[in-house]
Amino acid sequence: GQFLISGSRDKTIKLWVIKSGELIYTLKNHTNTIRSLCYSPDGTTFASADRQEVKLWDATTGKLLSTFMGCYPIIFSPDGSTLITGSQDNKILIWKGFIS
């Protein structure tokens, strides 16, 4: 409840402190407009998605952890062990054990 992530047409993701409005970091790793963002249930990671890729990030450092072929929408399972994404061929993709 202390931070907010935002995605943009300029292909960036930003992490903000809700209370102060302070910008913590800006990530520039997507090649397309950000379409979906989702925090893991424990808040330690978040996922971002565009029309071609899903990326998993460390929420504290902004370090890129993994990249998947998939697309928006995205959601974590309640226990955070599974990431569910869309795909280019209109399927639902289920990712388990995605943190290396």
Side-chain angles (χ1 to χ4, degrees), residues 1-43:
Q2 296 179 21
F3 301 100
L4 172 76
I5 48 174
S6 65
S8 178
R9 284 185 188 169
D10 69 1
K11 306 168 193 161
T12 64
I13 299 165
K14 296 183 180 193
L15 178 74
W16 307 88
V17 177
I18 293 172
K19 198 171 195 177
S20 68
E22 176 188 359
L23 176 62
I24 302 297
Y25 56 68
T26 301
L27 305 173
K28 300 177 180 182
N29 227 313
H30 274 276
T31 56
N32 293 294
T33 299
I34 309 301
R35 300 286 180 173
S36 187
L37 294 161
C38 184
Y39 266 111
S40 64
D42 66 5

Side-chain angles (χ1 to χ4, degrees), residues 1 4 11 18-19 24 27 31-32 45 53 58 60-61 72 75-76 79 93 96:
L4 172 76
K11 306 168 193 161
I18 293 172
K19 198 171 195 177
I24 302 297
L27 305 173
T31 56
N32 293 294
T45 58
E53 293 182 323
D58 181 295
T60 303
T61 65
Y72 67 99
I75 190 167
F76 282 94
D79 68 359
L93 302 176
K96 291 181 173 265

